[in-house]
Amino acid sequence: MNKFYEFFAGGGMVNAGLGDEWECLFANDFSEKKRAAYEANWGNDHFVPGDVGRVQLDQLPTQADLAWASFPCQDLSVAGNGAGLKGERSGTFWAFMKLIQQLREDRRKPRIIALENVYGAITSHAGKDFKAIIAALAAEGYRVGGMVIDAVHFVPQSRPRLFVVAVDEALQIPVALDGAQPTAAWHPRAITQAYGRLSKELRNRWVWWNLPTPKARRLTLEDIIEKEPQGVAWHSSDETWNLRRMMSDVNKKKLIEAQQAGRLRVGAVYRRMRNGQQRAEVRFDGVSGCLRTPSGGSSRQTIMVVNGEDVKSRLLSPREAALLMGLDHDYILPEFYTDAYHLAGDGVAVPVVAHLARHIFEPVLAQNQLQLTELPQDLAEAA
């Protein structure tokens, strides 16, 4: 069984994505509310709460095949404060890397490292933060490459995220995974430009990860909407009309077309400021906008359910938010709405983790299994 550490674990969505073939040796998060959710679903025998900067080397058992870190995005996000990796939140990346350095010195560094963050991490500080991330991983003896994977390939939510995967340079990467050039599906222009800004030495350590394209997604927003939602109430007719009045002509036209569709339609609504005026923008393409943490009312996604002339609206329910992240119906959510929505909006999409595990992590480990089991223990740990 493959073994992993889960840093910035939240509610354990990486654990959910990796599945039963993986064993979590260690999980950590600063939030007590997320800790409660994690332990409710995955147990408390391996969870170490608190600041990642206070995690001690002896709290990380044996050697992990994978160390996953979805480190905070606030300082790297386009909507953030621009502090980048020097910020209080996103700067916790360096505390994580200090542990990786200590593990290397202890001859048991993780064989694979996976990082997840917002798209803005690629361009933060004119690309200097991304370059610093790649350089830090390379300095610890890893080959590394970045991808942008949108959760919309798997679930009905538009959620493009940066994924950086690094493999111990002592291990072989299957030929099929190491592409000679970028692919349009996973390496948008921002990634290729970021690669171009790297030094020659770092480019020599770069991997153009060659992921297969998943099968066409069938699940739509209509499929996950609860008829009798828990934790939210339907808006009054006045509240729904206020939303409609906030729509521009373009969005009103979308609503009219949904009413004329002859079937139930579900739209995702966001409130945004446009030219100093609050507007309601709706999409009826079967996909929700990106879930966000509910720091303010506008960040909480509203849905509009349309059946002919009948138009209703309400907030997305906690269970619906969890389903949009790929969690199962039996995942135990926090009791309160804000806590549950925050847990989902701040997480990593479960099926994206599963896709990476199936097509990168597990093939790399399988390719090197003989080497890892036959070497003397001290050399195997150093590999």
Side-chain angles (χ1 to χ4, degrees):
M1 179 176 289
N2 298 318
K3 303 179 187 300
F4 70 102
Y5 304 145
E6 186 175 3
F7 291 87
F8 313 100
M13 295 183 194
V14 171
N15 205 322
L18 292 176
D20 295 338
E21 297 302 313
W22 289 75
E23 177 188 0
C24 189
L25 300 173
F26 165 93
N28 165 262
D29 201 282
F30 181 79
S31 167
E32 282 295 324
K33 292 178 179 179
K34 290 177 181 177
R35 171 193 180 182
Y38 186 100
E39 293 183 348
N41 288 279
W42 313 110
N44 62 3
D45 61 327
H46 59 274
F47 193 98
V48 177
D51 188 337
V52 65
R54 296 187 177 184
V55 174
Q56 299 298 310
L57 185 63
D58 60 8
Q59 292 176 299
L60 299 171
T62 65
Q63 182 178 20
D65 296 299
L66 168 70
W68 184 290
S70 294
F71 62 100
C73 67
Q74 289 88 341
D75 302 311
L76 295 166
S77 170
V78 173
N81 57 24
L85 290 180
K86 295 181 180 179
E88 181 179 356
R89 298 296 302 276
S90 298
T92 51
F93 167 76
W94 297 114
F96 165 74
M97 286 305 303
K98 182 178 179 180
L99 288 169
I100 297 300
Q101 179 184 17
Q102 292 173 344
L103 286 166
R104 175 182 58 78
E105 292 170 350
D106 204 37
R107 305 187 74 178
R108 56 188 182 96
K109 71 178 184 181
R111 297 180 174 105
I112 302 171
I113 295 175
L115 309 175
E116 181 255 358
N117 214 285
V118 293
Y119 197 103
I122 307 171
T123 55
S124 172
H125 286 174
K128 292 179 181 178
D129 288 328
F130 181 81
K131 182 178 180 179
I133 290 170
I134 302 303
L137 291 166
E140 297 305 322
Y142 289 91
R143 295 190 63 201
V144 57
M147 301 162 280
V148 172
I149 303 177
D150 194 334
V152 78
H153 291 294
F154 308 92
V155 291
Q157 180 196 172
S158 175
R159 192 181 187 83
R161 287 293 186 267
L162 168 67
F163 293 86
V164 175
V165 177
V167 172
D168 187 340
E169 62 187 355
L171 302 183
Q172 293 182 352
I173 295 176
V175 174
L177 294 183
D178 191 354
Q181 57 189 9
T183 57
W186 314 118
H187 304 111
R189 185 179 179 185
I191 287 285
T192 58
Q193 288 181 331
Y195 167 79
R197 289 190 290 266
L198 298 178
S199 66
K200 182 178 179 181
E201 180 183 358
L202 291 179
R203 290 200 299 269
N204 287 337
R205 286 181 171 269
W206 183 267
V207 180
W208 291 112
W209 291 113
N210 186 25
L211 272 176
T213 303
K215 295 180 180 179
R217 172 182 50 80
R218 295 184 179 181
L219 194 69
T220 69
L221 189 57
E222 284 86 354
D223 296 322
I224 71 161
I225 295 303
E226 299 176 298
K227 293 181 180 179
E228 298 180 3
Q230 300 295 313
V232 292
W234 291 100
H235 290 159
S236 68
S237 58
D238 286 344
E239 289 174 310
T240 300
W241 271 110
N242 283 336
L243 271 180
R244 297 174 69 169
R245 280 192 286 267
M246 289 166 59
M247 291 181 179
S248 65
D249 290 342
V250 171
N251 285 277
K252 288 177 181 177
K253 181 180 178 182
K254 293 179 184 178
L255 176 56
I256 292 171
E257 291 173 349
Q259 290 178 294
Q260 297 173 343
R263 63 182 179 88
L264 183 73
R265 300 295 307 277
V266 178
V269 182
Y270 269 116
R271 292 181 178 90
R272 303 183 191 276
M273 293 301 297
R274 300 295 186 191
N275 299 319
Q277 186 175 9
Q278 191 175 47
R279 290 291 193 181
E281 299 180 357
V282 65
R283 57 189 296 175
F284 285 99
D285 58 355
V287 174
S288 84
C290 184
L291 295 182
R292 303 174 185 174
T293 52
S295 56
S298 63
S299 64
R300 298 176 180 181
Q301 195 164 158
T302 298
I303 61 169
M304 186 166 280
V305 180
V306 180
N307 193 358
E309 292 301 313
D310 185 24
V311 180
K312 299 190 297 182
S313 63
R314 60 170 171 82
L315 291 176
L316 195 73
S317 78
R319 180 58 60 188
E320 291 161 348
L323 294 173
L324 284 173
M325 295 300 295
L327 288 166
D328 293 335
H329 283 273
D330 58 358
Y331 182 89
I332 302 170
L333 290 168
E335 177 183 0
F336 298 108
Y337 178 92
T338 299
D339 296 340
Y341 197 99
H342 192 284
L343 184 80
D346 203 27
V348 56
V350 171
V352 175
V353 177
H355 196 67
L356 287 169
R358 186 177 306 115
H359 298 292
I360 295 183
F361 307 157
E362 291 166 5
V364 167
L365 294 172
Q367 173 88 12
N368 293 277
Q369 189 60 43
L370 185 63
Q371 172 189 348
L372 295 172
T373 55
E374 288 192 348
L375 283 175
Q377 183 63 28
D378 61 337
L379 293 180
E381 289 180 352

